[in-house]
Amino acid sequence: MTTVKERIEDLRNALHQHNHNYYVLNQPEISDKEFDDMMSELQSLEEAHPEFKDENSPSMRVGSDISKNFTQVAHQYPMLSLGNTYSEGEVTDFYERIRKTLNEDFEICCEIKFDGTSISLTYEDGKLVRAVTRGDGEKGDDVTDNVKTIKTIPLKLHGNDYPQSFEIRGEILMPWSVFDELNREREMREEPLLANPRNAASGTLKLQNSSIVASRKLDAYLYYLLGENLPFDGHYENLQAAASWGFKISDTTKKCSTLQEVFDYINYWNIERKNLPVATDGIVLKVNSLRQQRNLGFTAKSPRWAIAYKFQAERALTRLNTVTYQVGRTGAITPVANLEPVQLSGTVVKRASLHNEDIINSLDLHIGDMVYVEKGGEIIPKITGVDMESREFMTGDKVKFITNCPECGSKLIRYEGEAAHYCPNETTCPPQIKGRIEHFISRRAMNIDGLGPETVDKFYQEGLVHNVADLYQLSINDITGLDGKKEKSANKIIAGINQSKNVPFERVIFALGIRFVGETVAKKLAKAFGDIESLENASLETLINVDEIGERIAKSIQVYFGDESNREIIEKLKIAGVQLKQSQEDLAARTDKLAGKSIVISGVFELHSREEYKDMIEKNGGKNVGSISAKTSFILAGDNMGPAKLEKANKLGVPIINENDFLALIS
Ligand code: IVH
């Protein structure tokens, strides 16, 4: 008979393999349903048998929601950068230099230069032990928990011919498809768009909550092995071996033995890269033999055996016709350059974002200027410069940032330390009113079916809706006939509005559209205050005491509730029956027995799972933190607490309590 331990092992091995088949090889062998069934069996067995816990189990990829402050770790080998070249001439120079220095045959491994964020992974005995960002090259942030959520990074290696200990480096990327989807959602919510997948990937990797990281579907390509006992002298051959251990190695990599082959590779990928699912910004050329690499050595900043050839960012020259200004939901003003239409990377560009006043000033823009527009890695084209030579023939005025709102005429303000200008007239500035309603009805907020920006616009124009509370006063009669709407769709809208009365409190807080209050903050506020009155009356100090809420957010909450018209809206929402307090079930379990306590959970438990303890800490007002510091109140320790943690706790005099004592404490 199979023991529980064996069953867990079997499930883990099978799931590791299926993950690899699905994510790396793109060849799933089982259905999603079968995969999910195996995963849930594994999760329940692990929950019931914490003694078999394994940090590298496939179940650990889902990510936990503990807040972690990243620990800095020194790199065993510094993470250097590459010398850049931009022309064929410089590539020839590099090739010739290598030829002269080595004075023997050599091969060049050509690779795509992925435009993401670099990562260093350490494996010991076939298991991922650490993932560290580049940081300053000497030391970086330990982001292991977040990296574990990336499905293409193996937690356990295949086969048995990998070195006992080695490091592998590569690039973490946000695929275009994920990036585009995230930005579509952001656009809906009128949040600033992510500039490019590179920033999105590095930002995601630094998130405190690894379940959000898991949802972002990052990917990773590995391109550099380091260690004492690598199997081959060839870099390319080592990468192929790494592929057999389960790593995702790009199949675009190619070994070349002549300069002409190198150029063919560059020219081919300069075009073809547009069909890759991730962002790229060049080609990396590496001398293939590790022995030859050692002979060539390093300069202080980069290897002499490798170089990056950067693709030219595509650029076009066109005329700046006008600058207009858009007002967003929060009143933020975005200057937009309206251009003479021009072809750029396969699309016609008519507009470019100018971001803010400082950028306009630094470009010294004049209306009528001939400007350079680039796409680079950015989705929104940007103006990178002015062709000063053609300026003499132009007579346009210097672009000066507006002083008043283009929609309502209010005087704009610019907060200290911020680059953006805002229209402060939240109550009667039309795009702000409409924007707030659109945010309120959006999917992640009140999720009102059948309503979209156009209908909201119509309601507003007809004078039916001035604020979010007015939505709850609408009748089928009001809507039928409007914009040709039939009774059936009017019914659907009213049903959607009524359904939104069941949306939980935390999402209602998010839906209100308080500046800087996103979904995570809204959750924290709902938990901490329980109902809208307590939130409304909270002092600045109480607000700041809530986990992850700083002065900026706290002040913004106070400004929101300080506004008479917002309080009226909330009163009306209350009368309409919108959820303005936590549900009874949630409340029943809450106390403040652990208020102000920072608690570290460590080891393996018998009575409850780690997740359950985390939940208990939060429900009782405590804070679960990832690492021990002098501020830690106590450690809730199960069996097998790590020796390093034990030593640190003893050194700092942090008390350690077991699960029975903990349960007594909160009972
Ligand atoms: S090799 C010692 N290969 O480019 C050099 N780097 O400026 C090790 N990158 O930090 C790097 N694709 O983040 C290498 N195929 C590739 C790459 C690559 C992207 C990034 C990497 C590195 C930067 C160098």
Side-chain angles (χ1 to χ4, degrees):
M1 224 188 75
T2 332
T3 63
V4 171
K5 186 164 184 245
E6 282 162 355
R7 179 66 188 150
I8 290 183
E9 268 313 302
D10 287 350
L11 284 166
R12 283 178 184 161
N13 288 335
L15 286 164
H16 276 308
Q17 183 62 50
H18 290 305
N19 251 329
H20 183 72
N21 293 347
Y22 185 93
Y23 288 101
V24 181
L25 305 179
N26 271 329
Q27 280 167 352
E29 283 173 1
I30 57 169
S31 70
D32 290 359
K33 166 89 173 65
E34 284 168 295
F35 185 91
D36 292 345
D37 288 347
M38 283 165 84
M39 181 64 88
S40 55
E41 185 187 345
L42 175 63
Q43 280 170 330
S44 21
L45 286 176
E46 287 178 338
E47 184 113 318
H49 296 275
E51 67 275 23
F52 303 134
K53 184 181 153 65
D54 177 356
E55 288 292 339
N56 286 329
S57 166
S59 61
M60 299 303 277
R61 288 196 191 271
V62 275
S64 93
D65 63 358
I66 27 168
S67 282
K68 47 190 152 300
N69 299 313
F70 300 108
T71 320
Q72 292 237 308
V73 180
H75 292 296
Q76 192 183 350
Y77 311 91
M79 279 180 91
L80 302 176
S81 61
L82 293 170
N84 286 331
T85 58
Y86 297 88
S87 66
E88 294 203 348
E90 287 173 291
V91 171
T92 309
D93 291 348
F94 166 76
Y95 197 87
E96 285 305 314
R97 208 164 46 239
I98 302 286
R99 202 172 56 79
K100 284 194 190 123
T101 318
L102 290 177
N103 202 18
E104 60 178 346
D105 285 348
F106 62 94
E107 289 174 311
I108 295 286
C109 183
C110 298
E111 298 172 14
I112 294 291
K113 186 166 190 298
F114 294 104
D115 195 12
T117 180
S118 40
I119 193 79
S120 151
L121 309 173
T122 303
Y123 284 79
E124 276 163 23
D125 300 316
K127 288 187 182 159
L128 172 67
V129 290
R130 213 165 28 255
V132 183
T133 62
R134 169 209 272 272
D136 61 5
E138 296 291 330
K139 54 185 178 337
D141 279 334
D142 183 334
V143 289
T144 314
D145 288 348
N146 285 350
V147 163
K148 279 186 178 170
T149 68
I150 303 173
K151 305 280 203 319
T152 44
I153 292 186
L155 303 181
K156 240 181 104 183
L157 301 184
H158 299 190
N160 50 17
D161 58 344
Y162 42 76
Q164 186 270 327
S165 164
F166 68 97
E167 204 178 314
I168 187 162
R169 292 182 183 170
E171 205 79 352
I172 294 195
L173 299 143
M174 180 176 282
W176 286 113
S177 56
V178 179
F179 173 76
D180 292 342
E181 174 64 22
L182 263 184
N183 262 351
R184 263 196 298 278
E185 284 170 9
R186 284 181 164 244
E187 202 167 4
M188 283 258 298
R189 283 178 274 148
E190 276 214 18
E191 287 170 8
L193 296 191
L194 302 163
N196 53 49
R198 175 181 6 98
N199 291 0
S202 63
T204 302
L205 211 53
K206 295 290 181 73
L207 287 173
Q208 293 290 312
N209 181 335
S210 47
S211 21
I212 306 184
V213 181
S215 74
R216 295 270 176 98
K217 303 193 191 83
L218 296 177
D219 201 350
Y221 281 103
L222 286 310
Y223 47 62
Y224 187 23
L225 275 139
L226 294 113
E228 303 299 320
N229 300 306
L230 302 181
F232 299 103
D233 173 63
H235 161 75
Y236 179 86
E237 288 71 20
N238 281 327
L239 287 183
Q240 303 316 307
S244 78
W245 306 331
F247 291 103
K248 187 162 178 172
I249 307 292
S250 174
D251 55 12
T252 58
T253 298
K254 182 172 186 269
K255 260 192 317 180
C256 295
S257 21
T258 65
L259 183 57
Q260 188 51 49
E261 281 179 56
V262 172
F263 282 132
D264 290 347
Y265 183 91
I266 291 179
N267 294 333
Y268 178 79
W269 284 108
N270 193 13
I271 308 292
E272 268 311 301
R273 70 188 180 109
K274 289 167 197 151
N275 297 322
L276 293 174
V278 292
T280 58
D281 63 342
I283 300 291
V284 182
L285 308 177
K286 299 174 182 170
V287 170
N288 195 51
S289 151
L290 302 190
R291 176 185 58 81
Q292 291 177 335
Q293 289 185 2
R294 278 190 296 273
N295 284 347
L296 291 156
F298 292 84
T299 69
K301 281 197 299 202
S302 50
R304 288 201 185 86
W305 45 264
I307 200 156
Y309 169 83
K310 298 283 278 261
F311 295 127
Q312 277 287 333
E314 285 175 82
R315 191 165 91 144
L317 193 62
T318 191
R319 187 179 314 283
L320 172 66
N321 287 334
T322 55
V323 173
T324 48
Y325 297 83
Q326 288 175 347
V327 187
R329 160 172 77 86
T330 56
I333 309 287
T334 312
V336 178
N338 300 290
L339 308 164
E340 200 58 40
V342 64
Q343 275 283 343
L344 182 63
S345 322
T347 53
V348 178
V349 174
K350 296 183 199 140
R351 285 143 56 91
S353 167
L354 284 168
H355 301 287
N356 57 49
E357 183 181 23
D358 296 343
I359 292 195
I360 294 179
N361 289 344
S362 67
L363 287 166
D364 183 29
L365 272 190
H366 287 58
I367 298 295
D369 268 344
M370 291 302 286
V371 292
Y372 289 106
V373 194
E374 266 183 31
K375 261 193 179 163
E378 328 283 317
I379 38 151
I380 305 168
K382 63 177 179 195
I383 293 183
T384 52
V386 174
D387 178 23
M388 290 297 175
E389 306 246 305
S390 41
R391 167 144 325 148
E392 297 161 40
F393 310 108
M394 305 295 157
T395 50
D397 289 338
K398 186 173 161 71
V399 178
K400 279 186 79 179
F401 207 87
I402 47 169
T403 52
N404 291 72
C405 175
E407 299 278 345
C408 73
S410 305
K411 192 161 170 43
L412 300 182
I413 47 174
R414 183 173 171 176
Y415 298 105
E416 215 183 291
E418 277 199 46
H421 281 75
Y422 287 92
C423 164
N425 175 16
E426 286 176 22
T427 32
T428 63
C429 181
Q432 296 194 56
I433 297 173
K434 283 188 277 182
R436 269 200 303 276
I437 301 172
E438 281 164 20
H439 169 73
F440 186 82
I441 62 174
S442 66
R443 193 165 54 83
R444 300 175 98 113
M446 304 301 277
N447 192 19
I448 301 184
D449 254 2
L451 267 187
E454 278 152 35
T455 317
V456 167
D457 193 40
K458 199 74 197 153
F459 287 164
Y460 179 76
Q461 278 174 29
E462 294 293 323
L464 287 168
V465 172
H466 297 97
N467 59 49
V468 298
D470 290 343
L471 289 171
Y472 294 90
Q473 304 303 320
L474 288 170
S475 67
I476 295 181
N477 261 349
D478 287 335
I479 306 172
T480 316
L482 203 71
D483 232 4
K485 277 212 173 18
K486 304 237 160 57
E487 195 172 324
K488 194 172 161 207
S489 60
N491 262 320
K492 190 174 170 207
I493 294 176
I494 296 291
I497 293 174
N498 283 334
Q499 280 233 307
S500 75
K501 295 177 187 170
N502 300 325
V503 164
F505 181 45
E506 57 192 40
R507 268 171 53 199
V508 178
I509 300 184
F510 170 62
L512 292 176
I514 305 170
R515 185 174 296 163
F516 308 134
V517 177
E519 283 163 288
T520 316
V521 171
K523 261 190 204 155
K524 303 258 172 197
L525 292 172
K527 265 193 187 166
F529 294 98
D531 60 44
I532 201 86
E533 289 82 11
S534 318
L535 176 60
E536 202 169 317
N537 297 325
S539 67
L540 196 67
E541 205 189 341
T542 330
L543 285 166
I544 293 174
N545 270 335
V546 178
D547 183 28
E548 279 183 38
I549 296 193
E551 197 171 318
R552 187 179 70 127
I553 302 178
K555 278 194 173 148
S556 161
I557 295 169
Q558 289 211 317
V559 167
Y560 179 87
F561 288 108
D563 185 321
E564 180 62 39
S565 54
N566 287 335
R567 286 206 304 275
E568 268 171 31
I569 291 172
I570 285 171
E571 235 4 81
K572 287 185 186 158
L573 289 176
K574 204 182 292 171
I575 294 166
V578 171
Q579 300 293 316
L580 291 171
K581 57 175 195 268
Q582 290 270 76
S583 67
Q584 284 309 318
E585 305 94 77
D586 248 13
L587 279 176
R590 259 166 224 291
T591 78
D592 56 5
K593 287 185 176 144
L594 300 175
K597 301 239 185 302
S598 290
I599 302 157
V600 172
I601 306 180
S602 178
V604 183
F605 299 93
E606 270 174 21
L607 304 172
H608 293 276
S609 73
R610 199 176 248 260
E611 285 302 312
E612 286 168 340
Y613 279 123
K614 215 182 321 167
D615 210 41
M616 286 181 221
I617 292 176
E618 281 170 10
K619 288 214 161 103
N620 288 285
K623 186 175 164 186
N624 174 220
V625 291
S627 58
I628 304 170
S629 74
K631 287 194 204 132
T632 309
S633 314
F634 63 81
I635 297 164
L636 165 56
D639 291 340
N640 298 333
M641 175 173 164
K645 275 201 171 137
L646 195 61
E647 195 191 320
K648 193 160 181 193
N650 287 336
K651 205 169 118 200
L652 295 169
V654 177
I656 300 176
I657 71 170
N658 65 28
E659 51 186 333
N660 286 316
D661 294 342
F662 175 79
L663 292 170
L665 191 69
I666 59 167
S667 72

